[in-house]
Amino acid sequence: MWYLCVFYHRLLDYRKAEVESLAELFGENGDHKGGKLEWKLPLHHHPDSPFHFVDLSSDDIARSIANRSILVKGMYELWGVGSDYEELQESIRNFPEERKSPYLQQGSTFKISVESFGKAISFQEQNERIQGLAYIPFKGQVNLRNPDHKFSLMEAADYGLNNGLPPVAQRTIFFGREVGGADRKLIPTYQLKSRTYLGPTAMDAEMAFLMANQALATPGKLVYDPFVGTGSILVGAAHFGAMTMGADIDIRVVRDGRGPDCNVWSNFKQYGLPPPISLLRADNNLPPWRPGLKEIFDAIICDPPYGVRAGGRKSGGRKLLKGTVAPYTVPDDKRTDHIPSTAAYSLVECVHDLLNLAAKMLVMGGRLVFFYPVLREEDCVFNQFPEHPCFTLISSSEQILSSRYSRVLLTMVKHSSYTEEMAEAAKLKHEEFRENHLKWLEDGNLHSAVFSPTIDPQLAVAGNCNATKDPKPKYRGKYV
């Protein structure tokens, strides 16, 4: 059954991936293997339009997706569509009567809302549009607070690129019954500015919920973050009922925080969420797991340090790693407050360790969800994503942060057990990946590549040295 899926105009590349993950979570099956749904775009609409048609098997699944999604504004059973109100009326009249009548019965309550995309509609115009729907034989009573059935009249104006929105070549009017809608109160409730314990790299609440949805976080599942920091990502997973566990190389973050009432644990207490079952001081480069332990996590969600806002660290120190000093043993009387020395941890090594960790510790079918940086330059090979023979990449959603730099949310599913043969194959892929990315990942040039301006040579000759290359169109939603 086709439903009209209306998105919030935010994080445009993330929208379909989230819906497809939630469809798998709620048991969408049939022809939609692996959660890949069939989508259609309304006539004359740009691919970045907030209006899309999606094929789902039932109202229950459509409702469940809409109610949990962060980016879906609502799912609608479409009763009619047209380029003007006469065409819309004809379309509604042709909608099967047996599908309309259950929601028009006497004794029920209803509400009609009017929304627009691309232009503002005054309150008076909204009332006029609602009165123009008098040909629909509603027999129930109007209830604006808690109606039994909700209906929406949605109008997309015809406009070009001049108002900062993806273009619509022809005016389109939709009318449909709301099957399910999102609760956007979730975002202001968890916003970072009201968070008890916050670090400089804390994950935005909206993005943390998106990552939890991509990881299929639900009650009974165990979710792990190997770069937990102040716990922002695990807060999102815990909200959806998952058990959580985290680790970080900085013991001051996971143990001390800023005091007994301002630490990772207090973030969970603030929202009434179950605390993590454990927080470890651990180095992802030297994992603490006992030999033979495997397949215990249902999902691994993280934001690896890739050297833009913060650089990665691993145990050892420069002199120890170079072999100029021997390994040392910490005296017993200094173990309580001892902070081990660390050295730089390149992204290529960090990602390789992360993929190996996930290959060993994820259950079959478990998901690895993590951010990966991308330099947006035509002549740069940095856009190749890391691979592992145990995983299948099912989605990559880009968030553009500047004209030169973006980050991509990668979602991988484990499809093969971790064996010695898999480890050898992964090592070969890692070496190939390292060679291709040596300039950006090993030499530590990512920060300077992101923040140093790239000047168009033609503009430089013309004397405009402040102009930088930005090949993609700018309209609202792409950059947020």
Side-chain angles (χ1 to χ4, degrees):
M1 184 183 300
W2 288 97
Y3 293 88
L4 177 64
C5 179
V6 182
F7 292 105
Y8 288 102
H9 195 60
R10 292 183 51 77
L11 301 170
L12 307 186
D13 289 336
Y14 292 73
R15 302 179 303 180
K16 289 183 179 180
E18 185 197 24
V19 171
E20 289 169 356
S21 291
L22 292 177
E24 180 177 343
L25 177 64
F26 294 117
E28 182 65 35
N29 48 31
D31 296 331
H32 313 306
K33 186 176 180 181
K36 293 297 183 182
L37 304 179
E38 186 176 354
W39 297 85
K40 289 194 306 187
L41 197 64
L43 194 62
H44 304 301
H45 277 240
H46 189 275
D48 290 331
S49 166
F51 302 99
H52 284 72
F53 295 112
V54 60
D55 187 16
L56 299 170
S57 58
S58 69
D59 280 7
D60 289 339
I61 289 180
R63 183 179 302 108
S64 297
I65 293 174
N67 291 349
R68 170 153 168 172
S69 173
I70 302 301
L71 297 178
V72 172
K73 189 174 185 179
M75 288 278 190
Y76 300 89
E77 178 188 57
L78 191 64
W79 285 17
V81 59
S83 58
D84 54 43
Y85 281 91
E86 290 75 17
E87 189 175 328
L88 176 68
Q89 179 175 346
E90 184 66 23
S91 179
I92 294 176
R93 291 187 184 279
N94 291 333
F95 190 73
E97 196 66 33
E98 63 273 12
R99 293 177 61 183
K100 290 188 294 187
S101 59
Y103 308 100
L104 306 175
Q105 297 298 320
Q106 192 170 1
S108 63
T109 58
F110 70 95
K111 171 188 175 181
I112 301 176
S113 59
V114 178
E115 301 177 19
S116 62
F117 184 76
K119 72 171 185 178
I121 300 180
S122 68
F123 184 72
Q124 180 180 352
E125 290 174 321
Q126 292 181 36
N127 284 332
E128 291 174 355
R129 282 161 170 72
I130 292 175
Q131 292 171 7
L133 299 174
Y135 56 85
I136 303 177
F138 290 104
K139 299 176 183 177
Q141 298 294 319
V142 174
N143 185 333
L144 300 181
R145 290 184 177 271
N146 189 28
D148 297 325
H149 311 298
K150 297 179 182 179
F151 299 87
S152 285
L153 181 68
M154 295 160 283
E155 184 173 328
D158 50 339
Y159 50 80
L161 285 169
N162 58 338
N163 66 349
L165 295 172
V168 174
Q170 181 176 305
R171 179 191 189 194
T172 311
I173 308 167
F174 305 94
F175 181 81
R177 175 181 64 87
E178 182 181 302
V179 176
D183 179 13
R184 289 294 285 186
K185 294 179 182 178
L186 190 67
I187 305 302
T189 299
Y190 284 87
Q191 59 187 339
L192 290 183
K193 65 181 182 181
S194 62
R195 192 72 56 87
T196 300
Y197 181 43
L198 196 62
T201 59
M203 182 61 65
D204 174 73
E206 182 180 41
M207 197 62 71
F209 288 128
L210 280 172
M211 296 176 78
N213 281 340
Q214 289 291 91
L216 311 184
T218 49
K221 290 188 175 182
L222 179 57
V223 175
Y224 178 64
D225 182 355
F227 311 100
V228 67
T230 58
S232 296
I233 292 176
L234 293 187
V235 166
H239 171 81
F240 293 125
M243 297 180 291
T244 59
M245 182 175 175
D248 201 281
I249 195 171
D250 192 342
I251 193 171
R252 296 166 295 184
V253 174
V254 296
R255 184 189 65 182
D256 303 327
R258 296 192 179 93
D261 297 320
C262 186
N263 50 42
V264 178
W265 308 97
S266 60
N267 282 344
F268 289 81
K269 183 179 179 180
Q270 177 181 356
Y271 302 113
L273 300 174
I277 61 174
S278 179
L279 290 177
L280 308 175
R281 188 278 171 189
D283 180 3
N284 201 45
N285 186 245
L286 298 170
W289 319 109
R290 68 174 187 266
L293 182 65
K294 59 175 62 176
E295 299 191 355
I296 62 174
F297 299 124
D298 295 285
I300 294 177
I301 318 176
C302 62
D303 183 22
Y306 40 79
V308 178
R309 287 194 296 174
R313 308 294 294 178
K314 63 180 179 180
S315 299
R318 293 190 299 271
K319 293 183 179 179
L320 180 62
L321 293 176
K322 290 180 179 179
T324 57
V325 298
Y328 59 90
T329 301
V330 181
D332 290 340
D333 60 331
K334 295 183 179 180
R335 285 181 179 272
T336 302
D337 298 321
H338 177 71
I339 298 176
S341 60
T342 60
Y345 191 27
S346 68
L347 178 59
V348 66
E349 190 176 8
C350 175
V351 171
H352 175 66
D353 292 340
L354 175 62
L355 290 173
N356 271 344
L357 168 73
K360 289 181 181 179
M361 304 303 287
L362 280 177
V363 300
M364 194 65 64
R367 291 195 168 199
L368 170 62
V369 181
F370 67 102
F371 272 108
Y372 185 76
V374 170
L375 291 178
R376 299 173 58 239
E377 298 185 16
E378 295 179 0
D379 58 346
C380 182
V381 296
F382 193 65
N383 296 325
Q384 176 189 345
F385 298 144
E387 298 179 80
H388 194 285
C390 287
F391 290 96
T392 299
L393 178 66
I394 63 170
S395 72
S396 57
S397 306
E398 184 179 17
Q399 181 185 20
I400 299 173
L401 301 176
S402 72
S403 61
R404 302 193 63 199
Y405 163 64
S406 63
R407 60 178 182 176
V408 177
L409 183 64
L410 301 180
T411 302
M412 298 181 172
V413 175
K414 182 178 176 180
H415 61 77
S416 300
S417 297
Y418 186 83
T419 62
E420 292 301 324
E421 292 77 11
M422 285 289 185
E424 287 300 318
K427 185 176 180 180
L428 294 177
K429 286 185 176 293
H430 166 66
E431 290 300 325
E432 179 184 354
F433 178 76
R434 181 179 180 276
E435 290 175 5
N436 289 340
H437 296 71
L438 184 63
K439 175 182 177 182
W440 305 105
L441 298 180
E442 283 292 311
D443 293 350
N445 293 328
L446 180 60
H447 186 278
S448 59
V450 169
F451 290 104
S452 61
T454 298
I455 300 174
D456 190 326
Q458 295 181 354
L459 295 176
V461 172
N464 186 3
C465 294
N466 294 323
T468 58
K469 294 188 294 184
D470 193 354
K472 291 194 175 182
K474 293 182 179 179
Y475 45 79
R476 298 198 302 273
K478 270 292 187 185
Y479 292 83
V480 294

